[in-house]
Amino acid sequence: MAFRDITGHRHLLDLIVRATVRGTLPPSLIFAGPEGVGKRMAAVSLAQIMNCTALEKTGGKDACGECAACKRIGRGVHADVLMLEPGETGIIKIDQVRDAIERAAYRPFEGRRRVVIVDDAESLNGDAQNALLKTLEEPPPASTFVLVTARPDMLLPTVLSRCQRLRFGRLAPAEVADILMRNHEYAEGDAYAAASLSDGSIGRALEGGTDEFVDARDAAASLLESVATSSDPGRRLSGAKVLTGSAGGGSDREELARRLCALSSIIRDLGALLSRADQRCLANQDLRPLLDRLQKSFDPDRVLRAFSAVDRALAALERNASPKIVADWLAFQI
Ligand SMILES: [Zn+2]
């Protein structure tokens, strides 16, 4: 996937491309940032732009994505692009590291640059990290090392200090929804429901079942609608019931937590609308009619109160409070 096809991180990716084209990109890099935001994909795209044989097609601004080199790198079978990743043991073995270092010492075989990508680099144990030190300090000419990690704190300070760290942020919910629709064939409603609960991570959005996300958001929306214009205690209690779902078992806790997160996401959107934020910032863009209706009953103070009540409810749930009590309490705070 070429840089232009990666969703999000625009500023950072532009910077990487410019430095690559100018030849000023440091040869030892860390791509750091939350799980599932596209760091590994960006590393593969970097390998492509470094070895693409048809750069002129994009005016030298990106990999073409179509030449033999781009395709082979995309499929993971290019001789000069090595991907190290943890095997079943969950660690990257020192032998894998030594092998990569050895291979990186030779001139590129079919491309212009050797690129060694270490995915989940936090899975390198201490010995493996130490084995890499000298190479990171001074990589062989025409080779680039990219350590991809969500946990840079698990890398040795000596490793960190030898690499240029590039930080990938969370994706905006709308960006997550775009990716789910484009690359994972999600329907619009499913995509936004999952994105609003994904915490900006595609990985997390794909982890949960679509039904769970959609159900959580439906329940949250229904509670908000039922309490928006009425202070009737009966309506509020039945709103609480919708939140806790059916029975009173242990999985209820998880279900309620998911619904509270959905609630929090919708309330945050209400706040964003009230402060006239850009439509693109909304996590639940597809619920615009609902948001517009709710906006009439929620002023900024009420939004703030509701938001912090949901926060407290989530904290209480984490401290093992009964889901029913939490939901009942919350229904009267919104
Ligand atoms: Zn190409």
Side-chain angles (χ1 to χ4, degrees), residues 48-49 51-55 57 62-71:
Q48 284 177 323
I49 194 170
N51 287 293
C52 175
T53 55
L55 278 179
K57 280 192 187 162
D62 201 348
C64 76
E66 290 158 4
C67 69
C70 282
K71 285 194 170 148

Side-chain angles (χ1 to χ4, degrees), residues 80-308:
D80 297 315
V81 179
L82 300 180
M83 176 72 74
L84 299 191
E85 52 197 334
E88 278 171 12
T89 52
I91 59 166
I92 300 174
K93 296 199 182 106
I94 192 162
D95 293 347
Q96 292 172 270
V97 172
R98 289 202 178 115
D99 179 54
I101 293 173
E102 207 170 291
R103 287 171 66 181
Y106 295 101
R107 300 284 310 159
F109 181 68
E110 54 176 308
R112 291 190 299 279
R113 250 191 123 73
R114 284 200 184 263
V115 183
V116 178
I117 300 169
V118 185
D119 194 22
D120 292 330
E122 70 277 7
S123 318
L124 294 161
N125 64 19
D127 286 347
Q129 291 189 43
N130 275 318
L132 259 180
L133 278 184
K134 208 170 152 281
T135 307
L136 293 176
E137 171 91 48
E138 207 175 334
S143 68
T144 296
F145 283 74
V146 186
L147 310 189
V148 175
T149 181
R151 298 288 313 273
D153 56 306
M154 287 176 70
L155 297 175
L156 297 173
T158 42
V159 168
L160 292 173
S161 69
R162 282 165 174 77
C163 299
Q164 170 83 50
R165 196 187 318 189
L166 301 173
R167 290 182 176 80
F168 286 69
R170 292 181 194 289
L171 295 167
E175 291 171 340
V176 174
D178 276 351
I179 296 171
L180 293 176
M181 286 187 274
R182 206 177 43 190
N183 300 345
H184 301 278
E185 291 166 3
Y186 274 51
E188 191 190 31
D190 295 351
Y192 277 104
S196 70
L197 295 176
S198 68
D199 204 15
S201 156
I202 287 291
R204 195 183 285 196
L206 292 172
E207 250 168 41
T210 324
D211 292 348
E212 288 172 1
F213 288 133
V214 171
D215 165 83
R217 211 169 57 138
D218 284 352
S222 144
L223 170 73
L224 283 169
E225 289 238 76
S226 65
V227 302
T229 52
S230 159
S231 53
D232 173 52
R235 285 193 73 156
R236 285 181 181 263
L237 278 177
S238 57
K241 259 202 196 110
V242 172
L243 264 192
T244 43
S246 41
S251 69
D252 265 15
R253 182 172 297 281
E254 231 172 83
E255 201 175 332
L256 177 58
R258 219 170 16 245
R259 290 169 176 192
L260 292 183
C261 290
L263 200 51
S264 177
S265 165
I266 298 176
I267 296 172
R268 197 183 307 122
D269 278 357
L270 274 177
L273 277 177
L274 287 168
S275 62
R276 310 213 174 282
D278 183 349
Q279 157 92 21
R280 290 281 304 170
C281 300
L282 301 181
N284 304 279
Q285 278 173 39
D286 61 318
L287 297 185
R288 191 60 199 261
L290 167 79
L291 292 169
D292 287 340
R293 279 199 302 281
L294 291 175
Q295 221 185 331
K296 294 183 189 122
S297 327
F298 280 81
D299 61 14
D301 282 348
R302 188 174 180 191
V303 166
L304 208 61
R305 269 201 319 277
F307 193 70
S308 77

